[in-house]
Amino acid sequence: MKTQKDLHSLLIQLDGKGYKAYKDIKGKYSFKDYILSIDSVQGDPFASPSKARIIVNQDTAKFPIALFDKYHKNIALCDFLTRLFSKNISKYYTRVHGSGKSGLLTIDCPGQEVLLRTSVVINEKHLEARLEVGLPASGRRVLGKEAAKIFLSALPKIIESTLYYKNINTNELEKHVDLAVDQYHLREGLIKKGLVAFIGNDSILPRESGVSDKPLKKGAISFQNPESLESIFELPNRGKIKGMAIPQGITLIVGGGYHGKSTLLRALERSIYNHIEGDGRQFVVTREDAVKIRAEDGRHVEKVDISPFINNLPNGQSTEVFSTENASGSTSQAANIIEALESGTKLLLIDEDTCATNFMIRDEKMQQLVEKDKEPITPFINRIRYFYEVLGVSTIMVAGSSGDYFDVADNVIMMDKYVPYDVTHRAKDIAKNIHPKESHRFFDNSKPKTKAPRILLNSSFPKSYKGMSIKAKGRDKIIYNKTEIDLKYLEQLVDNSQTNCIAIMIEYIAKNLANDRSDIGSIVSKVYETIKNKGLDGLSTFSGHPGNLALPRKHEIMGALNRFRLLKIKKGP
Ligand code: ADP
Ligand code: MG
C-alpha cells in the first residue's frame, strides 16, 4: 500500500496541472494509525465533491465493545462520533480557498434526531468515517499544496481527536449511549403497557422557531402530566421517570387557539425517533409506526381503495380502485389514511388545522340540507371507532372546533396555557346531554371491502435514452429522470439524508425488486431485509462510499412511491 509520503509527493507533483490529473490520487494510503482511502475523485471543481474514508483498526481505536454490542447502542455511538467529527472539522480546519467546491471538508451532520447513518460505521474489527472533500483548484488547475494541507495537516488532527477512544470525552460518549439504552427500554415499555405515546415530565415541546428544530429557550413551559394520565417507567440508567401516558384508543387534544395543541401533536409526530440530550423531547416517545395524516390536495393517487370514506362520485368514477392526478382535500386525506394502513400503522396522528373539513365532519344542519345519498363522503368521525375496535388502529387528534368527536373519544386532553388537563368526564357529560339517546350515532361498521394487494409494476420505472437517474434534492424532493416526487407533506421525514436514502431505495427497487408480482408493502420489506443483512451500504450502487444516507421508515418509502406520478399499480386478486 502507498504511504502518506507517497500522497504528499503526488500532490506536489500534480500542483498546477489540469484538474483531471487529480484522478491519480484515487487509492489507499497508510498513515501512522489509520488508512486514508480516496474512493472517488470529482472530475471538476464544481462537480459533487470527492469521497474519502478514514479506516481505523480497533487495535488502535479501542472502542469498548460494550458501547456498540446492541443495534441501538451502535447507532448511538456512530451518531456521537459523527457529531464529534463535524465539530472537530470546524475546530481544526480552516477552509482552503479556490474555485467551485474547493476546500470543502464535511461529514454528514445529524439534526436533533439519532438515526442509523452511513457517516460512521463501527464493528469489532474497525471503525470507518466517510467524508466528502472538495479537491482544491484555482480555476481548473490543481492546487496540490492546498490539497496536502487538507489530507496531511488538518485531517490527521481531526482524526486524532475523534476516532481514538483514549482521546475523546468518554464521559459524554457514555451518556449518549446510556440515553439510547433508556430510550430503547422506554419504547419497549410503551408497547408492553399498551400505550401509544408517552411524554415525560419536564419535556420541552415547543421549538425555537418555525424553521428551527432546536428547543425554545425563552419562556418555554415544561410539560407536566395530569394526575389521571400519569404513568411511571423505570429506566436502566436514569431510573424512574414520570409523565403522561396516552393509551390505545381515540384521544382528542382540545383547547383554545394558541394554547399548545399543535405543538404537542408535532412533538408526538417527531418522537417516532429518538432525540439527543438537551433537545427537550428525549423522553417523549410515540409508537414507531405512527403516521401523521393530513389533507394534501393536488397529490397523485394510484389505484387506492378509498371506498371506506368516499363513494358515488358525481362522475361515476370507481372509488375502490381510485386514481387521480389531482386529488381534492378529502380524497387526498382518504388516500393518505388507506396508504398508512397499508404500510402497517397502528396509530394515526391528525391535526384539525391541516385537514379537509368535509372529510372530518358533517354537522346536523348540513345533513338536513344535503341528504346522505347526495354526499359521497363518509366522514372520518363515522369510521374512527371501527378503525380502533376492528382494525386496532388508534388515533390522536387535535380538535379545536368539532365537539362531535367527544362522542367517539376515549380520552380528551385539554391544553390550557400549555398545561394539559384530563377533561374526559366533562366532555362525555356534554356529549350525553346533547344527544342522550344516540350514543352510537357515529359508529358506522359497514365493512370496508376486502383489500386487494397493490402490485407494483415494472413499467413504473421507464428508462430514458440515458438510463435511469434518481436524485434527491434536499429533504422535500426526489427527481426521477425528469419527474419530480414531492415529499413536502411527508412530515415525518426529517433529514436530507433520509431523502437521499429513499432515492437509493427506489433505484434499488427498480433494478432488483419490482417484478410485476409483489405488492408495494412486501417489496419495501425486502429492502429492509437487505439492510438487515448488509447494512445501509448494501443498497448503494454508485461509486465511492454512501456516506450520506440515513434510514427512513417504511412508511416514508411507501409514501414516496405512492406520490410518484409514474407509479403503475395492478390490483391483485
Ligand atoms: P394551537 O395549536 O393550540 O393553536 P400551538 O401549538 O400552535 O397552538 O402553539 C402556539 C404558540 O405557543 C407557538 O408559537 C408555540 O411555539 C408556543 N408554545 C407551544 N407550547 C408552548 C410551551 N409549552 N411553552 C411556551 N410556548 C409554547
Ligand atoms: Mg394548532
Side-chain angles (χ1 to χ4, degrees), residues 203-209 216 218-223 254-265 351 353 398 415 417-419:
S203 292
I204 300 293
L205 308 186
R207 299 293 97 189
E208 194 170 59
S209 76
L216 178 68
K218 267 201 202 128
I221 297 186
S222 68
F223 192 89
V254 303
Y258 223 67
H259 279 259
K261 304 183 296 299
S262 297
T263 302
L264 170 56
L265 192 81
D351 191 333
D353 289 358
V398 170
M415 296 304 286
K417 302 199 184 92
Y418 316 124
V419 177

Side-chain angles (χ1 to χ4, degrees), residues 140-179:
R140 285 196 159 74
R141 302 256 149 230
V142 167
L143 285 177
K145 286 181 198 140
E146 299 300 308
K149 280 187 198 161
I150 301 179
F151 290 118
L152 298 148
S153 158
L155 258 179
K157 278 188 217 131
I158 298 166
I159 292 162
E160 178 75 18
S161 54
T162 312
L163 301 182
Y164 303 101
Y165 184 69
K166 63 177 174 21
N167 296 347
I168 67 172
N169 184 334
T170 52
N171 220 345
E172 258 179 48
L173 169 59
E174 267 162 39
K175 273 206 277 185
H176 202 75
V177 175
D178 282 352
L179 176 60

Side-chain angles (χ1 to χ4, degrees), residues 457-569:
L457 296 179
N458 242 322
S459 53
S460 307
F461 307 106
K463 293 195 178 75
S464 75
Y465 70 97
K466 281 187 188 156
M468 196 186 286
S469 136
I470 312 176
K471 286 215 170 68
K473 289 255 184 295
R475 193 214 68 105
D476 288 352
K477 222 185 264 178
I478 290 175
I479 318 253
Y480 179 98
N481 290 342
K482 286 189 171 145
T483 303
E484 195 178 299
I485 313 179
D486 185 354
L487 308 176
K488 192 163 58 256
Y489 291 128
L490 287 181
E491 292 171 317
Q492 293 168 292
L493 191 65
V494 294
D495 192 302
N496 292 4
S497 301
Q498 287 181 310
T499 311
N500 282 336
C501 194
I502 293 180
I504 302 261
M505 286 167 159
I506 293 177
E507 183 171 353
Y508 186 80
I509 288 171
K511 290 187 173 154
N512 303 294
L513 298 172
N515 57 7
D516 291 349
R517 289 189 307 278
S518 313
D519 64 273
I520 297 197
S522 48
I523 282 183
V524 171
S525 302
K526 284 202 188 113
V527 176
Y528 277 89
E529 257 166 54
T530 306
I531 295 170
K532 202 169 157 214
N533 296 332
K534 301 189 196 160
L536 276 175
D537 288 7
L539 296 177
S540 176
T541 48
F542 55 85
S543 62
H545 63 71
N548 55 357
L549 307 181
L551 186 67
R553 301 185 306 167
K554 75 170 175 211
H555 310 279
E556 277 70 40
I557 306 164
M558 290 175 74
L561 283 170
N562 280 321
R563 282 162 184 76
F564 179 33
R565 286 180 188 271
L566 301 179
L567 182 75
K568 301 271 179 312
I569 293 288

Side-chain angles (χ1 to χ4, degrees), residues 416-431:
D416 184 4
K417 302 199 184 92
Y418 316 124
V419 177
Y421 296 90
D422 181 355
V423 295
T424 310
H425 292 305
R426 264 171 62 205
K428 286 290 174 192
D429 281 347
I430 292 168

